[in-house]
């Protein structure tokens, strides 16, 4: 049975916001060299600019999820949209590098509140487990759609106008969401929105020590991994933030074990289905990001393609992704999330192998070397993301929906940083794609064994 019109409208609004968050992550990827020329900054400064949004986004997600559980999804969503919107308005007006960097950090902070809050509101819009599971199956493909759109449109906009116009998209979506949210999103029935009276669960406390340690640890470790693009692993520039991040995360685990109301309860990750879903989410996001980065560089540097032509090369990927996402939700209802997730990873592994072999050969035409791999990879990641989203949020109590959203999005944001840094260390682009394909295949096998 189709959901009510009000539920569909709410899903469209929340889904549009989620796509925009990931679009913004990729908005400066293609035009980054042009930004460097305009502001006269070095490579390491461009690396920080590229990573700034993701650092605060990933680092603050757990705290953002806690805010959604404490104050209600729609209230947290509105607050995050305000921060995100102001930063999106400031970014295209930036007179220099420092102002743009600050705007990107602020965008990420707003996004870290929006993403888990949107999933908390989604739970209110679809209260029954079956309806929520169906919504999450579709939700799983939205992030990869946003990343694809970011790579496509940022190149087109930069070529035709300016990189500054790329920020018009998140600004317009934010204004529309703030205007429409009071009309289409529920408020009164959200968890904790009525306070701590009879019949209402106590509001979770804000674990500030845990939030500070988690944010600093994730941001520092992620930054250290990002720097491996320019410096060796043994460099002090890499080891300093990497070691500091690991130490802070170890302290975070110790604090959480003793906290009366921890930011991330240790038991929350012990559920096998949830752990498998989070691992599949991180790996699928990492594989897609690896392909986008490697082929964006390969097509421009090795084949001499323009930024505009490079962006259009990913159009079949986007088309296959949209088509497969619609089918994946129905398959989950029939076959179950573990089966669909494992099958998606297996198909994605085949696509990665095709991209690693003929795809990196400059003499093989696009139609034979890249197109089959792009289509298979898009088909696989659509199924994997859809099934993993259901696994990661299944059987979560209503009062912890924001936490589940924060953890799910953290896996999605940190996965590409960790896996990309590791696979690039094995050698050239072909080897990196082959290792990523092997990781996909191993994860598919693990899901198969878990079902058995």
């Amino acid at each position: 049975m189709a959901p009510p019109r009000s539920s569909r409208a709410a899903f469209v609004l929340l889904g549009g916001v989620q796509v925009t968050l990931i679009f913004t992550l990729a908005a400066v990827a293609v035009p980054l060299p042009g930004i460097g020329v305009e502001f006269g900054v070095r490579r390491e400064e461009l690396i920080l600019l590229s990573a700034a949004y993701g650092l605060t986004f990933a680092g603050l997600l757990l705290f953002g999820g806690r805010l959604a559980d404490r104050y209600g999804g729609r209230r947290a969503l509105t607050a995050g949209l305000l921060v995100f919107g102001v930063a999106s308005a400031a970014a295209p007006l930036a007179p220099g590098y420092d102002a743009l960097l600050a705007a990107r950090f602020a965008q990420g902070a707003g996004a870290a509140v929006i993403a888990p809050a949107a999933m908390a509101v989604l739970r209110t819009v679809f209260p029954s487990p079956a309806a929520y599971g169906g919504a999450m199956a579709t939700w799983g493909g939205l992030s990869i759609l946003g990343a694809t759109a970011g790579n496509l449109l940022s190149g087109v906009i930069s070529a035709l106008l300016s990189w500054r116009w790329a920020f018009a998209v998140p600004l317009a979506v934010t204004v529309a969401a703030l205007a429409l949210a009071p009309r289409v999103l529920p408020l009164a029935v959200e968890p904790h929105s009525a306070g701590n009276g009879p019949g209402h669960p106590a509001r979770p406390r804000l674990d500030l020590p845990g939030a500070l340690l988690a944010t600093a640890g994730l941001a520092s470790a992620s930054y250290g991994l990002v720097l491996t693009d320019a410096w060796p692993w043994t460099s002090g520039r890499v080891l300093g933030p990497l070691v500091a991040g690991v130490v802070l995360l170890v302290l975070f685990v110790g604090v959480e074990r003793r906290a009366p109301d921890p930011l991330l309860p240790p038991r929350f990750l012990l559920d096998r289905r949830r752990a498998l879903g989070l691992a599949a989410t991180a790996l699928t996001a990492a594989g897609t990001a690896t392909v986008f980065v490697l082929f964006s560089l390969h097509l421009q540097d090795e084949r001499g393609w323009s930024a505009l032509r490079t962006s259009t090369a990913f159009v079949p990927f986007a088309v296959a992704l949209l088509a497969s996402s619609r089918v994946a939700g129905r398959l989950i209802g029939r076959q179950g999330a573990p089966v669909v997730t494992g099958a998606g990873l297996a198909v994605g592994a085949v696509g990665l192998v095709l991209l690693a072999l003929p795809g990196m050969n400059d003499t093989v035409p696009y139609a034979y070397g890249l197109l089959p791999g792009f289509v298979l990879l898009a088909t696989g990641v659509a199924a994997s993301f859809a099934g993993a989203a259901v696994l990661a949020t299944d059987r979560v109590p209503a009062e912890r929906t924001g936490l589940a959203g924060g953890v799910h999005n953290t896996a999605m944001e940190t996965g590409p940083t960790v896996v990309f840094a590791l696979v690039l260390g094995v050698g050239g682009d072909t080897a990196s794609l082959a290792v990523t394909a092997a990781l996909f295949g191993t994860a598919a096998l693990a899901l198969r064994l878990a079902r058995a």
Side-chain angles (χ1 to χ4, degrees):
M1 186 175 68
R5 181 177 300 177
S6 60
S7 298
R8 292 198 298 270
F11 185 87
V12 169
L13 174 60
L14 295 170
V17 170
Q18 177 69 9
V19 168
T20 303
L21 296 183
I22 310 302
F23 169 92
T24 308
L25 183 67
V28 300
V30 176
L32 202 61
I35 296 174
V37 172
E38 180 176 338
F39 291 148
V41 295
R42 300 185 302 274
R43 178 181 175 86
E44 56 265 31
E45 292 171 309
L46 288 178
I47 292 174
L48 179 57
L49 180 62
S50 176
Y53 178 88
L55 290 177
T56 48
F57 192 179
L60 287 168
L61 271 167
L62 293 178
F63 189 58
R66 200 49 136 182
L67 290 175
D69 287 338
R70 178 175 174 81
Y71 296 110
R74 210 190 87 182
R75 290 190 177 93
L77 180 71
T78 301
L81 284 170
L82 288 171
V83 175
F84 185 77
V86 171
S88 297
L93 302 176
Y97 171 81
D98 292 338
L100 181 58
L101 181 65
R104 291 290 285 173
F105 276 126
Q107 275 186 315
V113 179
I114 294 170
M119 292 182 68
V121 176
L122 197 68
R123 180 64 173 269
T124 306
V125 173
F126 299 95
S128 72
Y132 181 66
M136 285 307 302
T138 304
W139 189 268
L142 295 179
S143 295
I144 193 63
L145 177 61
T148 306
N151 280 275
L152 287 173
L153 293 181
S154 64
V156 173
I157 292 172
S158 299
L160 299 180
L161 298 170
S162 164
W163 62 265
R164 296 176 184 270
W165 282 96
F167 292 97
V169 176
L171 181 59
V173 172
T174 301
V175 171
L178 287 170
L180 294 174
R183 302 180 184 180
V184 301
L185 300 183
L187 175 63
V189 296
E190 288 185 6
H192 314 301
S193 61
N196 297 338
H200 296 280
R203 294 187 179 195
R205 299 176 183 176
L206 294 180
D207 178 16
L208 293 179
L212 291 173
L213 288 171
T215 301
L218 286 171
S220 181
S222 298
Y223 183 56
L225 290 171
V226 166
L227 292 179
T228 58
D229 176 67
W231 289 280
W233 284 81
T234 55
S235 168
R237 291 178 179 268
V238 172
L239 287 178
L242 192 59
V243 171
V246 171
V247 171
L248 289 170
L249 289 175
V250 170
L251 291 174
F252 168 72
V253 173
V255 168
E256 295 301 277
R257 288 181 177 276
R258 297 190 299 271
D261 197 355
L263 183 72
L264 178 61
R267 285 185 165 274
F268 189 80
L269 300 178
L270 295 182
D271 183 277
R272 186 175 65 176
R273 285 169 59 90
R274 187 173 302 128
L276 288 171
L278 293 172
T281 296
L283 184 57
T284 307
T288 310
T290 299
V291 167
F292 282 165
V293 171
L294 291 184
F295 280 98
S296 292
L297 296 173
H298 171 77
L299 292 176
Q300 295 180 75
D301 296 343
E302 303 299 329
R303 301 200 182 195
W305 289 20
S306 66
L308 181 60
R309 188 181 179 188
T310 299
S311 293
T312 58
F314 291 99
V315 170
F317 184 98
V319 173
L321 181 72
L322 286 171
S324 303
S325 295
R326 295 181 64 86
V327 177
R330 301 191 189 100
L331 289 177
I332 290 173
R334 297 173 186 172
Q335 303 294 329
V339 174
V340 174
T341 306
L345 287 167
V347 172
V350 176
L352 286 166
V353 170
L354 291 179
L355 291 172
L357 298 176
M360 281 291 174
N361 189 337
D362 298 345
T363 63
V364 180
Y366 172 86
Y368 304 109
L370 294 178
L371 184 59
F374 279 159
V375 171
L376 281 176
L377 179 62
T379 303
V381 299
S384 178
F385 259 125
V390 175
L391 289 173
T393 57
D394 190 26
R395 296 181 293 198
V396 175
E399 65 272 13
R400 286 189 172 176
T401 307
L403 171 63
V407 172
H408 175 68
N409 281 278
T410 300
M412 192 183 306
E413 294 303 316
T414 57
T417 303
V418 175
V419 176
F420 190 54
L422 293 176
V423 298
L424 284 183
V426 302
D429 294 347
T430 299
S432 298
L433 291 169
V435 171
T436 307
L439 292 174
F440 268 54
T442 302
L445 180 61
L447 278 163
R448 175 68 178 174
L449 294 176
R451 293 199 310 272

